[in-house]
Amino acid sequence: MTTTLDPSTQERVDKWLDGNYDADTKSAIKQLIDAGNTTELTDSFYRDLEFGTGGLRGVLGVGSNRMNRYTVGAATQGLCNYINATFPGQDDISVAIAHDSRRMSPEFARLVADIFSANGIKVYLFSSLRPTPELSFAIRQLGCQSGIVVTASHNPPEYNGYKVYWGDGGQVVAPHDKNIIAEVNKITSIDSIKFEGVPERIHQIDEEIDAPYIERIKSNAVNPDVIKKQADLNIVYTPIHGTGITLVPRALDALGFTNVHIVEQQATPDGNFPTVKSPNPEERAAMQLALDLANELNADLVMATDPDADRVGAGARNHHGEFELLNGNQMASLIIYYLLNAWKDAGKLTGKEFIAKTIVTTDLIDAMCQRYNVTCYNTLTGFKYIAEVIRELEGKEQFIAGGEESYGYLIGDFVRDKDAIASCAMIAELTAYAKNNGQSLFDMLMAMYQENGFYYESLVSLTKKGKSGAEEIQQMMADFRANPPKEIAGSTVVRIDDYKALTRTDASGNATAIEAGKMGIESSNVLQFFTEDGTKVSARPSGTEPKIKFYVSVREPLASKEAFDDTYAQLKAKVQRVIDDLKLS
């Protein structure tokens, strides 16, 4: 059957059919051609899979726009070239490599290891699947120059990818990110990829990294005596078929928790994620089996980690006795609230400590930091920027913790990415602390709101697919810049922050510069509107999906725990007014 493709797509198809690609790959392409599957052929070949600032991500399959041996190989060869050029004459360059439970993850990890070794680089390869944060830890522990974790985080099963890290253990940032992309783009032929591995340069790692990593997590505990008293805290945990199973139960055990129940249906690593539509702990459906078990066992706490175990979702019984899942803003705030109090009680706050979070994460954290005279640094969205702040302040200021609204948290600086293993340990500890004081985790949440104000956040995500969708998203941002709202939900807009122009404009129209190069800040297509009554709206096109995201934050005082439900209803109604006002639905 004949297929009609546009010339550039056809050129890529021909290149793959004529080049030094393996027989199975060519056969798969011919099957698509014979079936007349123009749509799949086009999607597979209409462009080269983009190596972005964080690394690579795409659908598995044959073609230049798919995750496969050749696209992964080209990206890795470009990275090797950059690393070797950055450390000229250094004969002990090394990298660490980990992978998650997804389809093709072990194979890609081995492929990447072979290419690094063929380029004269020493490789530390985890012997089996491991969480992303442990890869960050391994880079620092082993003194590596770079590292890769093969993962597509919580994307659907058909995806895979990899994230690139630098020697500080954080994901690559400027100038390395753009420089690596430039090197990757120079790989125009698979003949320049060194596929033949050098086995003596590849060293398997496991327990020699697992043990010190668990010890460092254990050292995060601020109230070990409370954990001893509440050792039988009833915990339900699910790894949702991912890497969390390797270390979350072990970390909880190391802290002394003895009553941990694993959701057995989701305990086995499986890249098809057979029990969920999406392996994302931000979605209630992904945690339903854990919630069912928690109700059956009358648990105190339920936790779930995503496939590469850098994000964690958690829930506890509310004041009505029902399990309520806490969102990323609430959990980040609770962790920081608990740690600020613990550091203050221990006399450890000297004025040189800091918290780091992203600009779209709740301002409740800023308010709490102000009360404790602790600096709160706000970065662009992405944990790599939080890692950058930690690196820049190393030896000058002390990092306590950090977080972002999308369920990622970090305690201590021995890892430089969001860490669901350490976060599960800390969430269990603060639940034990609450229980030791006759409270639930939810009681602690309400107490925090009473002390600091009830902040409520909601995310509106609008999907706009294809070329027309991308144009629509750009037009929405352009319209907001040309005609910014003067009022939102009845409250005057008193400040506008434009991170693309790097300007801050007040109610009188006076603009000052947001300094580029300030920690975690560079030009980015983000707009924020602040109103007189404390409402904040952030608009940001997604960097990885065909979406534009609006983060809405509102606040009210909470007079008492008894007033929680009424205040919560008021805040939800207020968010709805904001959504209606800005026509975001």
Side-chain angles (χ1 to χ4, degrees), residues 92 192 202 262 420 514:
D92 60 346
S192 60
I202 300 172
I262 313 294
I514 299 172

Side-chain angles (χ1 to χ4, degrees), residues 57 60 67 97-109 125-133 135 148-157 159-163 239-246 269-273 279 306-310:
R57 189 174 295 188
L60 291 162
M67 282 287 296
I97 300 170
H99 69 81
D100 70 6
S101 59
R102 287 179 175 273
R103 287 189 288 128
M104 292 299 295
S105 282
E107 292 86 350
F108 285 149
L125 175 66
F126 275 102
S127 61
S128 59
L129 79 168
R130 285 298 189 283
T132 286
L135 183 274
I148 281 176
V149 58
V150 179
T151 180
S153 191
H154 53 264
N155 273 47
Y159 281 81
N160 212 326
Y162 70 52
K163 294 191 274 197
I240 319 180
H241 305 290
T243 61
I245 192 64
T246 61
D270 187 336
N272 293 310
F273 311 113
D306 69 344
D308 66 324
D310 60 356

